């Protein structure tokens, strides 16, 4: 299970670099933070059950944040830079 968190760290790192190259600095910092979180967590040698609990908590925080952002922060029909 710890290897899967390293894989997630790898992919979030790839996304962070791509966001940085695409001049999306804030998003790249968010993904670099996730990369550090996943890689650090992978070396803690937790039980498989604990890894599942941590991943479930991560998904819960993500979905709550994403739902909040799309509901209250985004303006329908607004495009930036187009």
């Amino acid at each position: 299970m710890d290897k899967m968190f390293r894989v997630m760290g790898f992919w979030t790192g790839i996304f962070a670099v791509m966001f940085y190259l695409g001049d999306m600095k804030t998003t790249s910092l968010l993904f670099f933070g996730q990369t550090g979180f996943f890689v650090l967590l992978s070396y803690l040698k937790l039980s498989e059950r604990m890894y599942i609990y941590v991943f479930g908590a991560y998904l819960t925080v993500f979905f709550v944040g994403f739902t909040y952002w799309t509901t209250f922060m985004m303006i329908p029909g607004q495009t930036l830079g187009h």
Side-chain angles (χ1 to χ4, degrees), residues 19 23-32:
F19 282 131
D23 205 28
M24 300 173 72
K25 306 283 192 255
T26 306
T27 310
S28 70
L29 287 175
L30 179 67
F31 272 78
F32 278 125

Side-chain angles (χ1 to χ4, degrees), residues 12 24 34 38 41 44-45 50 55 57 64 67 71 73 81:
T12 54
M24 300 173 72
Q34 289 182 39
F38 285 139
L41 198 62
L44 290 181
K45 300 292 184 195
M50 194 63 198
F55 187 65
V64 167
T67 303
T71 304
M73 304 299 283

Side-chain angles (χ1 to χ4, degrees), residues 5 37-38 41 46 49-59:
F5 274 81
F37 171 73
F38 285 139
L41 198 62
L46 302 173
R49 178 178 289 196
M50 194 63 198
Y51 278 122
I52 295 297
Y53 286 156
V54 168
F55 187 65
Y58 168 78
L59 286 180

Side-chain angles (χ1 to χ4, degrees), residues 69-79:
W69 182 265
T70 56
T71 304
F72 299 112
M73 304 299 283
M74 291 180 73
I75 300 170
Q78 179 184 13
T79 58

